[in-house]
Amino acid sequence: MKFSTSSFVSLAIALQAISCSCAGEIPASGGPLVALIQDAGGKAGIIGTATLRFNPDQSFLFALDLNGLPEDGVAVITDGTSCDDISEIPYTDASNGGSDFDGMMNTYQALDEGISKSAFRFNNGYNSNQNLGKTVLLYSKSDLSTVLACGVLEPEVEKTVLAADMGVYPGYTGSLSPSGRVKVTFRDDDSFQFRFRLSGLEADCVGCGIHIHAGTSCATHEEVLGHGWNAVVVQDLWTAAGGATYSTNSSGKARGFFELYNGFGYEENLNHAVVIHMQDGTRVGCGVLMSRT
C-alpha cells in the first residue's frame, strides 16, 4: 500500500494533536494504596480500610469501607507516617494541582449501624509513591478537632493469603506441644478458606475449636482476647455450628479446612491471633496471621 505526502502530513498532525492532548497529564506513579483504619483511642470501635486508586491525571478514587463510626465525617491524608505519633498537617501540594482537605469533597457518610462504604474523587497533588507511608485520619462532622481513627497507607496486597505458624498458647503448662501452620485464603467477597496442618495436639480430639481472635499477639493471655468477628454484619461463626473445628487422629495430628466469613477482609484479619482449643475448650495453641510471601 502506498501513502501520499498529504497522508503523512495528516498522520503527523493527528499524532501531534494526541501528544498535545496528553501533555497536561501527569502519569500516575505506583499502584493502589490501602490503609488499615483503626480507632485512634486503641479501642476496638472503628475498623476498616481506606483505599486510593489513582487515575492517569494523578487524581484518585478515595474509597472507604468502615465499621463502628459514630456519625458522618471527613477523611484527611496528613504528612504523618505513624499512628503512634499522629500529625494532623494535611498532605497537599497546591502548586501541583492539589486541593485542600476542606471538608467539602473529602467526606464520608455513615449508616445508623456505623457502616460506611463511601467514596470520593480527590487530588492532593501527590502521586502514589509520594502518598505511600502517609497517614489517613478520620474526624467526626460534629468534632473536627479530635482524631477518631488512623491508618498508614501501604501498597495494596494482590495475594490475599495469610499464614500463622502455630506454637504453645501463652501460659499453657500441660504436656502437649502444638505446632504446624494455618493458612487463610480470602476471596473477593471477603469469605475465606481456613486451612490447617497441625501436630502435637490432644489425641482423638473430635470437633475441637480453632478460631481467629480479636487480639494481635500471642505474648500473653490478655492480648489474645476473644473471637474476632464483625458483629454488625455477621453472627459469630467461630463455633462448632459455624464449622470452625478440627479433629485429630490417635497421634494428635490434624489436617483439613473449612469455609468461613467473620465480617472482615484480609487487612482486618492481618496480624490477628489464631487459637487452638482442646476438647474441653482449654486454649492450647496460638499463632499470629502474617502476610504470606
Side-chain angles (χ1 to χ4, degrees):
M1 181 180 293
K2 295 182 179 180
F3 291 93
S4 65
T5 302
S6 60
S7 297
F8 281 112
V9 172
S10 298
L11 178 59
I13 293 174
L15 290 174
Q16 184 179 15
I18 293 173
S19 176
C20 291
S21 68
C22 299
E25 294 185 357
I26 302 173
S29 179
L33 302 175
V34 62
L36 173 60
I37 304 296
Q38 294 179 295
D39 195 295
K43 298 175 288 186
I46 300 172
I47 190 168
T49 58
T51 304
L52 274 56
R53 300 191 183 280
F54 289 81
N55 297 308
D57 64 355
Q58 196 173 260
S59 68
F60 50 82
L61 177 70
F62 198 128
L64 297 165
D65 188 354
L66 301 164
N67 295 275
L69 296 168
E71 61 178 350
D72 297 352
V74 300
V76 179
I77 299 174
T78 74
D79 66 354
T81 57
S82 171
C83 290
D84 295 324
D85 185 16
I86 293 176
S87 169
E88 297 186 63
I89 300 174
Y91 188 57
T92 183
D93 182 3
S95 66
N96 199 29
S99 300
D100 291 330
F101 289 99
D102 56 7
M104 299 297 292
M105 289 294 297
N106 54 309
T107 62
Y108 62 82
Q109 295 73 46
L111 301 177
D112 292 340
E113 297 82 1
I115 298 173
S116 178
K117 289 186 176 292
S118 298
F120 54 86
R121 180 175 175 270
F122 203 82
N123 186 344
N124 66 346
Y126 295 111
N127 61 32
S128 175
N129 288 340
Q130 293 167 319
N131 278 292
L132 177 65
K134 302 303 180 184
T135 50
V136 174
L137 304 183
L138 301 186
Y139 297 85
S140 173
K141 69 175 183 179
S142 62
D143 184 4
L144 298 177
S145 63
T146 303
V147 177
L148 281 180
C150 176
V152 179
L153 289 165
E154 303 289 348
E156 184 179 47
V157 178
E158 294 183 4
K159 292 184 178 180
T160 52
V161 178
L162 299 176
D165 292 320
M166 305 304 295
V168 177
Y169 189 85
Y172 173 75
T173 58
S175 60
L176 300 176
S177 299
S179 64
R181 174 168 263 217
V182 165
K183 185 174 75 171
V184 183
T185 304
F186 292 84
R187 301 183 180 86
D188 290 342
D189 62 359
D190 288 338
S191 66
F192 52 82
Q193 182 185 86
F194 187 106
R195 185 174 291 273
F196 52 86
R197 188 169 186 173
L198 310 167
S199 60
L201 297 172
E202 182 180 16
D204 301 315
C205 191
V206 179
C208 296
I210 182 167
H211 321 121
I212 296 176
H213 278 230
T216 56
S217 173
C218 289
T220 66
H221 168 73
E222 290 72 21
E223 292 176 277
V224 178
L225 302 179
H227 294 176
W229 86 99
N230 185 352
V232 175
V233 297
V234 68
Q235 63 181 304
D236 182 9
L237 295 178
W238 296 115
T239 62
T245 64
Y246 71 93
S247 296
T248 61
N249 59 20
S250 58
S251 300
K253 295 181 178 181
R255 183 176 182 180
F257 73 91
F258 52 82
E259 305 290 341
L260 205 127
Y261 173 64
N262 68 348
F264 293 127
Y266 171 92
E267 288 83 4
E268 293 92 342
N269 281 287
L270 177 65
N271 297 325
H272 280 260
V274 175
V275 175
I276 305 172
H277 296 262
M278 296 173 62
Q279 192 79 68
D280 64 0
T282 299
R283 298 181 180 187
V284 67
C286 191
V288 175
L289 289 169
M290 307 294 288
S291 177
R292 184 185 180 193
T293 57

